[in-house]
Amino acid sequence: MTAKTMEFIDLKSQYAALKTDIDARMHAVLDHGQYIMGPEVAELEEKLAAFVGAKHCISASSGTDTLILALMALGVQAGDEVITTPFSFIATAEVIALLGAKPVFVDIEPHTYNIDPIKIGTAITPRTKAIMPVSLYGQCADFDAINAIAAKHGLPVIEDGAQSFGATYKGHRSCGLSTIGSTSFFPSKPLGCYGDGGALFTSDDALAKAMREIRVHGQDRRYHHPRIGLNARMDTLQAAVLLAKLPAFPAEVEARSRIGARYSELLQGAVMTPSVEAHSTSVYAQYTVEVDNRGAVQAHLKQHGIPTAIHYPMPLHMQPAFAYLGRGEGSYPVAEQAARRVMSLPMHPYLEDQDVLAITEAVKAALTGSANDRTKGQSC
C-alpha cells in the first residue's frame, strides 16, 4: 500500500518549497540582531491585519497567550463566567480558569463540531462576561447567530480561530468576525511558524491598545505600567518565518480545500466526512472523519504506514482538571459522542493525490475488515 510512513503534516516539503524565502528572511534578522519586537513584527502585523480585514493585529508569543490577552483586555476576572465549547484543545478553557473565571460549556453541533448557537442563550447568566466559540477543524462557527445572541445581552465575542486562519464565513475571513479574533501559529497550524506564536485581531481601538499594553507587561511607555500584563511578545525570528510563508498561504489554502474535497469524494458513504456549510470555506486544519471501531481502523492504517490522530479523545468537561465544575459524563452528549468516534487523517498542502487514494483505500479496507470481524464474532 505505502512504501514508507507518510507525514501527518509535512513541514519538510513546505520548507523545501519555500526555503529560499525563509532562509533570506531569517538571515535578515540574524544580521540586524533585533530579536525582540524587530521591524519584521510590525510588518507582519500590518500584512495580517490586511489579510483578515481587521483594523488592528497584535502579534503574541502563542495562541494560548492571545486568548489570555483577549480575556484580560475585556476585564475578565475571578467570579466571571465565559461561555465556550467542551470540544476543543484544553487551552480554550484553561485560559478562562487561569484568570479565576468559570468556563461554562455549551454542547456542539453534530455536523460541524462547533458550538451550537441555539444552546448559548440558556447558558447566559448575570455573571457571563464573554462568549468564546472555537472555529474547529478549519471551519468557522456560526457567527451571525452567535453575534446576535451576544448583542442582545451586551456581551463581547472572542473567536478562537487557532484552527481556522484563512477560512471564510459569508465572504469574511476568520478572526475578523467578532469583537476579537485569536489565532495560533504553532508549526502544525494552517499558517505556522517554527516555534510558538499567535495573533489577535480587532477593529476596536481601545481593545487594541489594551492588548498591546498587556502583551508587554502592561506597559504604555518604557517603565510606565498602567495595568498588570504579561510577557507575551512574538519574537522576530518567528515573524520572519511567517512573512516568508504568507505569500504562499492563499495557494496552500486552495490546496487544502482541493485535498479535503477529494478525501470527501473518495470516502463518501464509507465514513461520516466533514460537513462544510454552503456559506463557509474550511482550511482543513485537520481532515476529521467519524468511524466505528476507531482503534481497529487506526491500527490497520498504522500497519500501512499511515498516521492518524484524535482531535479530541476527551471533552473538556470530563478532564480531571475541570472536575470541580461538576459536569461529568452525560452533560454534553454530542461532544462526548464525537470524542468517541472522530479520527483525523493526514492533511497538508503538499499531499499528493496518490497518497489520498492510498489513505482512503486503506480506510475502506479497515472498515470492511472491522465489519467482517464483528460478523464473525456474532456467528460464533
PDB file of all heavy atoms in Angstrom, residues 11-34:
ATOM      1  N   LEU A  11       5.878  19.409   7.105  1.00  0.00           N
ATOM      2  CA  LEU A  11       6.568  20.693   7.165  1.00  0.00           C
ATOM      3  C   LEU A  11       7.880  20.661   6.387  1.00  0.00           C
ATOM      4  O   LEU A  11       8.370  21.712   5.954  1.00  0.00           O
ATOM      5  CB  LEU A  11       6.822  21.078   8.622  1.00  0.00           C
ATOM      6  CG  LEU A  11       5.570  21.321   9.470  1.00  0.00           C
ATOM      7  CD1 LEU A  11       5.946  21.622  10.913  1.00  0.00           C
ATOM      8  CD2 LEU A  11       4.727  22.451   8.894  1.00  0.00           C
ATOM      9  N   LYS A  12       8.451  19.479   6.211  1.00  0.00           N
ATOM     10  CA  LYS A  12       9.714  19.378   5.472  1.00  0.00           C
ATOM     11  C   LYS A  12       9.522  19.716   3.991  1.00  0.00           C
ATOM     12  O   LYS A  12      10.346  20.411   3.397  1.00  0.00           O
ATOM     13  CB  LYS A  12      10.303  17.980   5.641  1.00  0.00           C
ATOM     14  CG  LYS A  12      10.826  17.712   7.055  1.00  0.00           C
ATOM     15  CD  LYS A  12      11.397  16.330   7.210  1.00  0.00           C
ATOM     16  CE  LYS A  12      10.315  15.285   7.341  1.00  0.00           C
ATOM     17  NZ  LYS A  12      10.855  13.949   7.717  1.00  0.00           N
ATOM     18  N   SER A  13       8.446  19.228   3.396  1.00  0.00           N
ATOM     19  CA  SER A  13       8.178  19.569   1.993  1.00  0.00           C
ATOM     20  C   SER A  13       7.869  21.053   1.837  1.00  0.00           C
ATOM     21  O   SER A  13       8.272  21.691   0.850  1.00  0.00           O
ATOM     22  CB  SER A  13       7.005  18.734   1.461  1.00  0.00           C
ATOM     23  OG  SER A  13       7.367  17.379   1.341  1.00  0.00           O
ATOM     24  N   GLN A  14       7.165  21.615   2.806  1.00  0.00           N
ATOM     25  CA  GLN A  14       6.869  23.042   2.752  1.00  0.00           C
ATOM     26  C   GLN A  14       8.161  23.854   2.811  1.00  0.00           C
ATOM     27  O   GLN A  14       8.349  24.805   2.050  1.00  0.00           O
ATOM     28  CB  GLN A  14       5.937  23.450   3.899  1.00  0.00           C
ATOM     29  CG  GLN A  14       5.511  24.907   3.824  1.00  0.00           C
ATOM     30  CD  GLN A  14       4.845  25.379   5.096  1.00  0.00           C
ATOM     31  OE1 GLN A  14       5.377  25.186   6.192  1.00  0.00           O
ATOM     32  NE2 GLN A  14       3.685  25.994   4.955  1.00  0.00           N
ATOM     33  N   TYR A  15       9.055  23.466   3.712  1.00  0.00           N
ATOM     34  CA  TYR A  15      10.325  24.205   3.819  1.00  0.00           C
ATOM     35  C   TYR A  15      11.129  24.089   2.521  1.00  0.00           C
ATOM     36  O   TYR A  15      11.708  25.074   2.048  1.00  0.00           O
ATOM     37  CB  TYR A  15      11.142  23.681   4.993  1.00  0.00           C
ATOM     38  CG  TYR A  15      12.517  24.314   5.070  1.00  0.00           C
ATOM     39  CD1 TYR A  15      12.663  25.682   5.266  1.00  0.00           C
ATOM     40  CD2 TYR A  15      13.672  23.543   4.929  1.00  0.00           C
ATOM     41  CE1 TYR A  15      13.916  26.271   5.327  1.00  0.00           C
ATOM     42  CE2 TYR A  15      14.927  24.122   4.986  1.00  0.00           C
ATOM     43  CZ  TYR A  15      15.043  25.490   5.181  1.00  0.00           C
ATOM     44  OH  TYR A  15      16.284  26.075   5.216  1.00  0.00           O
ATOM     45  N   ALA A  16      11.154  22.905   1.925  1.00  0.00           N
ATOM     46  CA  ALA A  16      11.880  22.731   0.666  1.00  0.00           C
ATOM     47  C   ALA A  16      11.330  23.654  -0.414  1.00  0.00           C
ATOM     48  O   ALA A  16      12.087  24.230  -1.210  1.00  0.00           O
ATOM     49  CB  ALA A  16      11.803  21.277   0.215  1.00  0.00           C
ATOM     50  N   ALA A  17      10.011  23.826  -0.435  1.00  0.00           N
ATOM     51  CA  ALA A  17       9.382  24.676  -1.448  1.00  0.00           C
ATOM     52  C   ALA A  17       9.637  26.160  -1.201  1.00  0.00           C
ATOM     53  O   ALA A  17       9.740  26.949  -2.145  1.00  0.00           O
ATOM     54  CB  ALA A  17       7.882  24.403  -1.490  1.00  0.00           C
ATOM     55  N   LEU A  18       9.763  26.549   0.066  1.00  0.00           N
ATOM     56  CA  LEU A  18       9.874  27.963   0.427  1.00  0.00           C
ATOM     57  C   LEU A  18      11.241  28.319   1.007  1.00  0.00           C
ATOM     58  O   LEU A  18      11.434  29.410   1.548  1.00  0.00           O
ATOM     59  CB  LEU A  18       8.784  28.324   1.449  1.00  0.00           C
ATOM     60  CG  LEU A  18       7.339  28.021   1.036  1.00  0.00           C
ATOM     61  CD1 LEU A  18       6.380  28.359   2.170  1.00  0.00           C
ATOM     62  CD2 LEU A  18       6.955  28.783  -0.221  1.00  0.00           C
ATOM     63  N   LYS A  19      12.194  27.417   0.890  1.00  0.00           N
ATOM     64  CA  LYS A  19      13.495  27.531   1.555  1.00  0.00           C
ATOM     65  C   LYS A  19      14.201  28.855   1.268  1.00  0.00           C
ATOM     66  O   LYS A  19      14.703  29.510   2.192  1.00  0.00           O
ATOM     67  CB  LYS A  19      14.387  26.365   1.135  1.00  0.00           C
ATOM     68  CG  LYS A  19      15.810  26.425   1.677  1.00  0.00           C
ATOM     69  CD  LYS A  19      16.606  25.197   1.257  1.00  0.00           C
ATOM     70  CE  LYS A  19      18.078  25.337   1.537  1.00  0.00           C
ATOM     71  NZ  LYS A  19      18.384  25.599   2.951  1.00  0.00           N
ATOM     72  N   THR A  20      14.227  29.270   0.018  1.00  0.00           N
ATOM     73  CA  THR A  20      14.965  30.486  -0.332  1.00  0.00           C
ATOM     74  C   THR A  20      14.422  31.692   0.426  1.00  0.00           C
ATOM     75  O   THR A  20      15.184  32.469   1.021  1.00  0.00           O
ATOM     76  CB  THR A  20      14.884  30.742  -1.850  1.00  0.00           C
ATOM     77  OG1 THR A  20      15.475  29.628  -2.533  1.00  0.00           O
ATOM     78  CG2 THR A  20      15.645  32.007  -2.221  1.00  0.00           C
ATOM     79  N   ASP A  21      13.104  31.844   0.432  1.00  0.00           N
ATOM     80  CA  ASP A  21      12.493  32.997   1.107  1.00  0.00           C
ATOM     81  C   ASP A  21      12.612  32.889   2.619  1.00  0.00           C
ATOM     82  O   ASP A  21      12.873  33.893   3.302  1.00  0.00           O
ATOM     83  CB  ASP A  21      11.025  33.118   0.708  1.00  0.00           C
ATOM     84  CG  ASP A  21      10.862  33.519  -0.750  1.00  0.00           C
ATOM     85  OD1 ASP A  21      11.805  34.091  -1.322  1.00  0.00           O
ATOM     86  OD2 ASP A  21       9.785  33.249  -1.315  1.00  0.00           O
ATOM     87  N   ILE A  22      12.412  31.689   3.159  1.00  0.00           N
ATOM     88  CA  ILE A  22      12.512  31.511   4.611  1.00  0.00           C
ATOM     89  C   ILE A  22      13.923  31.810   5.083  1.00  0.00           C
ATOM     90  O   ILE A  22      14.139  32.550   6.062  1.00  0.00           O
ATOM     91  CB  ILE A  22      12.075  30.096   5.019  1.00  0.00           C
ATOM     92  CG1 ILE A  22      10.576  29.920   4.785  1.00  0.00           C
ATOM     93  CG2 ILE A  22      12.420  29.821   6.491  1.00  0.00           C
ATOM     94  CD1 ILE A  22      10.080  28.494   4.983  1.00  0.00           C
ATOM     95  N   ASP A  23      14.914  31.247   4.399  1.00  0.00           N
ATOM     96  CA  ASP A  23      16.307  31.470   4.794  1.00  0.00           C
ATOM     97  C   ASP A  23      16.680  32.942   4.712  1.00  0.00           C
ATOM     98  O   ASP A  23      17.351  33.489   5.609  1.00  0.00           O
ATOM     99  CB  ASP A  23      17.244  30.644   3.914  1.00  0.00           C
ATOM    100  CG  ASP A  23      17.167  29.155   4.197  1.00  0.00           C
ATOM    101  OD1 ASP A  23      16.443  28.766   5.133  1.00  0.00           O
ATOM    102  OD2 ASP A  23      17.838  28.380   3.483  1.00  0.00           O
ATOM    103  N   ALA A  24      16.246  33.611   3.643  1.00  0.00           N
ATOM    104  CA  ALA A  24      16.581  35.029   3.482  1.00  0.00           C
ATOM    105  C   ALA A  24      15.966  35.868   4.594  1.00  0.00           C
ATOM    106  O   ALA A  24      16.623  36.769   5.151  1.00  0.00           O
ATOM    107  CB  ALA A  24      16.101  35.523   2.116  1.00  0.00           C
ATOM    108  N   ARG A  25      14.714  35.583   4.928  1.00  0.00           N
ATOM    109  CA  ARG A  25      14.035  36.337   5.986  1.00  0.00           C
ATOM    110  C   ARG A  25      14.706  36.115   7.343  1.00  0.00           C
ATOM    111  O   ARG A  25      14.904  37.054   8.121  1.00  0.00           O
ATOM    112  CB  ARG A  25      12.566  35.924   6.055  1.00  0.00           C
ATOM    113  CG  ARG A  25      11.674  36.582   5.024  1.00  0.00           C
ATOM    114  CD  ARG A  25      11.433  38.049   5.378  1.00  0.00           C
ATOM    115  NE  ARG A  25      10.398  38.657   4.559  1.00  0.00           N
ATOM    116  CZ  ARG A  25       9.923  39.882   4.763  1.00  0.00           C
ATOM    117  NH1 ARG A  25      10.391  40.620   5.763  1.00  0.00           N
ATOM    118  NH2 ARG A  25       8.999  40.386   3.979  1.00  0.00           N
ATOM    119  N   MET A  26      15.074  34.864   7.627  1.00  0.00           N
ATOM    120  CA  MET A  26      15.701  34.576   8.922  1.00  0.00           C
ATOM    121  C   MET A  26      17.105  35.176   8.999  1.00  0.00           C
ATOM    122  O   MET A  26      17.499  35.720  10.040  1.00  0.00           O
ATOM    123  CB  MET A  26      15.738  33.067   9.151  1.00  0.00           C
ATOM    124  CG  MET A  26      14.356  32.450   9.330  1.00  0.00           C
ATOM    125  SD  MET A  26      14.392  30.701   9.759  1.00  0.00           S
ATOM    126  CE  MET A  26      14.897  30.785  11.483  1.00  0.00           C
ATOM    127  N   HIS A  27      17.854  35.119   7.908  1.00  0.00           N
ATOM    128  CA  HIS A  27      19.197  35.702   7.912  1.00  0.00           C
ATOM    129  C   HIS A  27      19.150  37.216   8.058  1.00  0.00           C
ATOM    130  O   HIS A  27      20.056  37.821   8.659  1.00  0.00           O
ATOM    131  CB  HIS A  27      19.951  35.296   6.649  1.00  0.00           C
ATOM    132  CG  HIS A  27      20.555  33.931   6.729  1.00  0.00           C
ATOM    133  ND1 HIS A  27      21.638  33.634   7.537  1.00  0.00           N
ATOM    134  CD2 HIS A  27      20.216  32.759   6.125  1.00  0.00           C
ATOM    135  CE1 HIS A  27      21.951  32.356   7.416  1.00  0.00           C
ATOM    136  NE2 HIS A  27      21.095  31.799   6.580  1.00  0.00           N
ATOM    137  N   ALA A  28      18.108  37.848   7.557  1.00  0.00           N
ATOM    138  CA  ALA A  28      17.969  39.291   7.732  1.00  0.00           C
ATOM    139  C   ALA A  28      17.859  39.647   9.214  1.00  0.00           C
ATOM    140  O   ALA A  28      18.438  40.643   9.670  1.00  0.00           O
ATOM    141  CB  ALA A  28      16.752  39.796   6.967  1.00  0.00           C
ATOM    142  N   VAL A  29      17.127  38.818   9.970  1.00  0.00           N
ATOM    143  CA  VAL A  29      17.020  39.049  11.418  1.00  0.00           C
ATOM    144  C   VAL A  29      18.363  38.811  12.092  1.00  0.00           C
ATOM    145  O   VAL A  29      18.790  39.584  12.963  1.00  0.00           O
ATOM    146  CB  VAL A  29      15.936  38.140  12.031  1.00  0.00           C
ATOM    147  CG1 VAL A  29      15.870  38.328  13.546  1.00  0.00           C
ATOM    148  CG2 VAL A  29      14.574  38.431  11.410  1.00  0.00           C
ATOM    149  N   LEU A  30      19.045  37.756  11.703  1.00  0.00           N
ATOM    150  CA  LEU A  30      20.354  37.472  12.280  1.00  0.00           C
ATOM    151  C   LEU A  30      21.338  38.606  11.997  1.00  0.00           C
ATOM    152  O   LEU A  30      22.201  38.920  12.829  1.00  0.00           O
ATOM    153  CB  LEU A  30      20.904  36.156  11.731  1.00  0.00           C
ATOM    154  CG  LEU A  30      20.100  34.901  12.075  1.00  0.00           C
ATOM    155  CD1 LEU A  30      20.655  33.686  11.340  1.00  0.00           C
ATOM    156  CD2 LEU A  30      20.092  34.642  13.579  1.00  0.00           C
ATOM    157  N   ASP A  31      21.191  39.237  10.855  1.00  0.00           N
ATOM    158  CA  ASP A  31      22.087  40.351  10.501  1.00  0.00           C
ATOM    159  C   ASP A  31      21.790  41.606  11.315  1.00  0.00           C
ATOM    160  O   ASP A  31      22.701  42.277  11.793  1.00  0.00           O
ATOM    161  CB  ASP A  31      21.978  40.666   9.000  1.00  0.00           C
ATOM    162  CG  ASP A  31      22.650  39.617   8.136  1.00  0.00           C
ATOM    163  OD1 ASP A  31      23.515  38.878   8.655  1.00  0.00           O
ATOM    164  OD2 ASP A  31      22.305  39.526   6.936  1.00  0.00           O
ATOM    165  N   HIS A  32      20.491  41.950  11.474  1.00  0.00           N
ATOM    166  CA  HIS A  32      20.205  43.190  12.217  1.00  0.00           C
ATOM    167  C   HIS A  32      20.151  42.979  13.722  1.00  0.00           C
ATOM    168  O   HIS A  32      20.319  43.923  14.503  1.00  0.00           O
ATOM    169  CB  HIS A  32      18.949  43.903  11.697  1.00  0.00           C
ATOM    170  CG  HIS A  32      17.647  43.200  11.915  1.00  0.00           C
ATOM    171  ND1 HIS A  32      17.168  42.807  13.137  1.00  0.00           N
ATOM    172  CD2 HIS A  32      16.664  42.867  11.025  1.00  0.00           C
ATOM    173  CE1 HIS A  32      15.968  42.257  13.014  1.00  0.00           C
ATOM    174  NE2 HIS A  32      15.638  42.264  11.730  1.00  0.00           N
ATOM    175  N   GLY A  33      19.907  41.767  14.185  1.00  0.00           N
ATOM    176  CA  GLY A  33      20.028  41.447  15.602  1.00  0.00           C
ATOM    177  C   GLY A  33      18.920  41.952  16.502  1.00  0.00           C
ATOM    178  O   GLY A  33      19.039  41.884  17.731  1.00  0.00           O
ATOM    179  N   GLN A  34      17.806  42.407  15.938  1.00  0.00           N
ATOM    180  CA  GLN A  34      16.697  42.885  16.775  1.00  0.00           C
ATOM    181  C   GLN A  34      15.725  41.721  16.992  1.00  0.00           C
ATOM    182  O   GLN A  34      14.714  41.607  16.317  1.00  0.00           O
ATOM    183  CB  GLN A  34      16.008  44.069  16.108  1.00  0.00           C
ATOM    184  CG  GLN A  34      16.905  45.264  15.902  1.00  0.00           C
ATOM    185  CD  GLN A  34      16.223  46.386  15.150  1.00  0.00           C
ATOM    186  OE1 GLN A  34      15.153  46.862  15.561  1.00  0.00           O
ATOM    187  NE2 GLN A  34      16.813  46.825  14.048  1.00  0.00           N
TER     188      GLN A  34
END
